[in-house]
Amino acid sequence: MASKSSTSPAFLFSVILALVVGIHGGGITIYWGQNGGEGTLADTCASGNYNIVNLAFLTIFGNGQTPAMNLAGHCNPSDGGCTGLSSEIKSCQASGVKVMLSIGGASGSYNLTSADDARQVATYLWDNFLGGQSTSRPLGDAVLDGIDFDIESGTTQHWDELATSLSANSSSEKKVYLTAAPQCPYPDAWVGGALQTGLFDYVWVQFYNNPSCEYSSGDMSNLINAWNQWTSISAGQIFLGLPASPEAANNGFIPASNLTSNVLPAIKGSAKYGGVMLWSKFYDNGYSSSIKESV
C-alpha cells in the first residue's frame, strides 16, 4: 500500500521558483581589446567566465573613410599583425563562446551619412569580419558571430539601415548576431532608432556613467525604472551593463555581494533577462568569477 505523499505546498513552490529562475538564468558578456595587459583572447574564453566576448573596437568607418581597427597593445591590425587572432577566435567559438566585433566606442571617427553609406559599411563588415571574402581580413579567416553597436558619437541616423543590411546576411547555416550597448537613459540618443527594427539579439545597457539610472548606495529605484523601460523594447535579451571594478568607470560599480543578493533577484524575473555585461576584461580581477553562479 502506497504511503500518502508528505510534500508540502511550500516545497513545491520552491521547486517551481527554482525552475523559473533557471529558465531565466543568464550569462556574462565581456569587452576585450582595449588594454594589452588584460591577457590573451584565448585565455579569456578558456576561463569559463564568459558567454560572449566583444572585440573592441573598429573605431574608424563610414563617410568614405578607410575603416580601421584599434586593439590597443595587443596587435596592429593595419599591418596584418592581428591575423594571428584567427586561431584564438576559433578556439573561443569551439568552446561555445560567441565572438563579436564591436564598432564605435567612446572615441574614434565614425559616421554614417546616408543609407547607401550604411550599406557600404555593412558590405565591408561582411567581407572582412563575417562570412564574406576579402584579401585583407584584419583578423584572418575566422568568421565572427556578429556585430556589436557601441555607438557613442558621430550620428544618430542610418544605424537602422546598417542593422538591416547586416541582418540580411543571416542564413540557416550561419546567423549574423546583432548586439548593442546603449546608455541607460531611455531611449538611447544614438541607436534608439536602430533598436526599433527589432533585429537585435542582445542589448547590454550601460548602467554606469549615467547617475540618473544607476544603483546607488542600496537604492535600486532608478535602475529598476530604467530596466523596466529597456525590457519593453523589441529585442531578444537585455543585459545589465556594469563596470568590472570601481576603476573601470566614473560611477555605477555595484559590489558583487549587492549585485547577487539585491539587484539580480529584482531583475531576473524578466522574460528578456539575458545576464550581465562587464567593461572590461582588463578590470575584471575576480568580479565575474564571484557573480557567475548568480547570473
Side-chain angles (χ1 to χ4, degrees):
M1 183 176 180
S3 61
K4 184 177 179 180
S5 173
S6 60
T7 303
S8 70
F11 175 78
L12 289 174
F13 177 77
S14 66
V15 171
I16 292 170
L17 181 61
L19 289 172
V20 170
V21 172
I23 289 171
H24 297 309
I28 299 177
T29 294
I30 195 78
Y31 278 84
W32 179 95
Q34 285 300 291
N35 193 296
E38 64 195 338
T40 68
L41 177 61
D43 287 344
T44 297
C45 295
S47 70
N49 291 340
Y50 316 112
N51 301 81
I52 302 172
V53 176
N54 294 321
L55 305 183
F57 294 103
L58 185 76
T59 55
I60 300 175
F61 60 90
N63 196 24
Q65 302 176 100
T66 300
M69 192 176 189
N70 181 329
L71 288 178
H74 290 286
C75 54
N76 184 357
S78 66
D79 63 8
C82 296
T83 56
L85 286 174
S86 182
S87 60
E88 297 188 51
I89 293 167
K90 293 175 184 178
S91 174
C92 291
Q93 293 169 328
S95 64
V97 178
K98 292 183 177 67
V99 183
M100 315 286 293
L101 172 66
S102 187
I103 64 173
S107 62
S109 174
Y110 51 90
N111 188 32
L112 297 180
T113 58
S114 65
D116 184 61
D117 191 18
R119 286 189 289 269
Q120 291 182 37
V121 171
T123 297
Y124 170 81
L125 293 171
W126 171 254
D127 287 342
N128 287 276
F129 297 99
L130 300 170
Q133 299 293 323
S134 171
T135 58
S136 58
R137 291 174 67 94
L139 304 177
D141 63 357
V143 177
L144 299 182
D145 291 287
I147 302 297
D148 173 56
F149 289 49
D150 184 15
I151 307 305
E152 302 183 39
S153 65
T155 178
T156 62
Q157 303 297 314
H158 309 298
W159 301 111
D160 52 344
E161 284 116 338
L162 179 59
T164 300
S165 295
L166 288 168
S167 182
N169 290 308
S170 279
S171 68
S172 56
E173 290 79 25
K174 180 71 171 177
K175 176 178 172 60
V176 176
Y177 286 88
L178 296 182
T179 70
Q183 307 293 313
C184 59
Y186 182 89
D188 181 73
W190 304 105
V191 295
L195 293 173
Q196 292 179 8
T197 63
L199 295 173
F200 286 78
D201 301 284
Y202 309 121
V203 179
W204 16 83
V205 184
Q206 297 184 44
F207 282 86
Y208 54 95
N209 294 335
N210 291 289
S212 66
C213 45
E214 292 172 8
Y215 173 91
S216 177
S217 302
D219 184 357
M220 292 194 294
S221 57
N222 288 342
L223 184 150
I224 294 300
N225 288 338
W227 176 263
N228 289 338
Q229 287 182 308
W230 280 107
T231 53
S232 71
I233 72 171
S234 178
Q237 293 182 321
I238 309 299
F239 286 62
L240 180 70
L242 298 172
S245 75
E247 296 74 31
N250 293 326
N251 41 265
F253 176 74
I254 303 177
S257 59
N258 292 2
L259 180 69
T260 57
S261 63
N262 298 321
V263 179
L264 290 180
I267 67 174
K268 287 180 70 173
S270 168
K272 289 185 178 177
Y273 171 79
V276 173
M277 175 274 280
L278 297 177
W279 176 268
S280 64
K281 177 59 174 65
F282 176 73
Y283 296 101
D284 184 16
N285 298 307
Y287 191 78
S288 61
S289 299
S290 66
I291 69 171
K292 68 178 182 180
E293 296 302 324
S294 299
V295 171

